[in-house]
Amino acid sequence: GASPMKGGQECVVCGDNSAKYKCPVCRAPYCSVACCRSHKEIPCSKPETERKSVGEEGAGACPVAKPKEPSKRPRAKLPSEEDTEDEDGARLRREHLISIASSDSIRKALCDPHLVETLAHIDASSQAEQALDAACEDPGFREFTEKVLNILDPKP
């Protein structure tokens, strides 16, 4: 299971400063069961013992773990995962989420701390639609959303 730790670190999922646990795989801090589940949606890897310093560019600047193959055994659905549609009549299925999480271009884009911070802000916002609209003003965020949309609906 997760390792308890001293509070005060920032949760990698919601940004709360009360992260009390670490992922047993990548050691990323998180604060709750809900954040742990969210973190586990995208496969992670053990931290590399030798990483390049933050200022260096190159292949090792942001390690991108290879996605795990989806489990073949049936998975219990969470209440929020029912096959219902949102107010716009759309819902991403597990296959869509796996395609996004498995994309090298998405995984590389998520090495940008500003993008990760923007996504966490939208996710944690009580007015997510307005936060999303504001984020779309950022060219880097728009580029990221185009990558996601191209995975969901590839153009020939």
Side-chain angles (χ1 to χ4, degrees):
S3 306
M5 59 184 226
K6 292 181 181 176
Q9 281 200 312
E10 187 174 310
C11 175
V12 296
V13 178
C14 71
D16 191 328
N17 283 329
S18 64
K20 298 176 192 141
Y21 306 99
K22 285 188 176 182
C23 172
V25 178
C26 71
R27 312 297 296 155
Y30 61 90
C31 65
S32 66
V33 172
C35 286
C36 176
R37 285 186 183 137
S38 293
H39 174 69
K40 287 182 178 181
E41 284 295 314
I42 297 177
C44 58
S45 64
K46 290 186 179 187
E48 293 178 21
T49 53
E50 293 183 27
R51 289 194 179 170
K52 292 188 177 189
S53 65
V54 176
E56 287 187 58
E57 296 295 326
C62 178
V64 179
K66 286 293 175 201
K68 297 174 186 171
E69 286 299 315
S71 172
K72 300 298 181 208
R73 64 181 168 80
R75 185 175 64 86
K77 285 190 176 187
L78 299 172
S80 63
E81 292 182 301
E82 294 173 12
D83 287 328
T84 58
E85 296 177 342
D86 68 10
E87 59 275 0
D88 296 325
R91 176 164 176 84
L92 290 178
R93 303 218 180 271
R94 183 162 176 78
E95 308 83 66
H96 296 133
L97 297 173
I98 290 170
S99 294
I100 294 166
S102 300
S103 164
D104 284 340
S105 68
I106 295 297
R107 297 173 73 76
K108 286 177 185 160
L110 289 171
C111 288
D112 176 3
H114 177 70
L115 176 62
V116 172
E117 183 179 312
T118 301
L119 292 168
H121 172 74
I122 294 166
D123 187 51
S125 176
S126 60
Q127 298 180 343
E129 201 166 318
Q130 289 88 340
L132 178 61
D133 289 342
C136 285
E137 298 296 318
D138 176 17
F141 184 78
R142 281 198 312 272
E143 181 181 333
F144 175 76
T145 59
E146 288 297 320
K147 288 177 183 180
V148 171
L149 293 172
N150 286 333
I151 290 168
L152 298 175
D153 186 23
K155 303 288 183 226

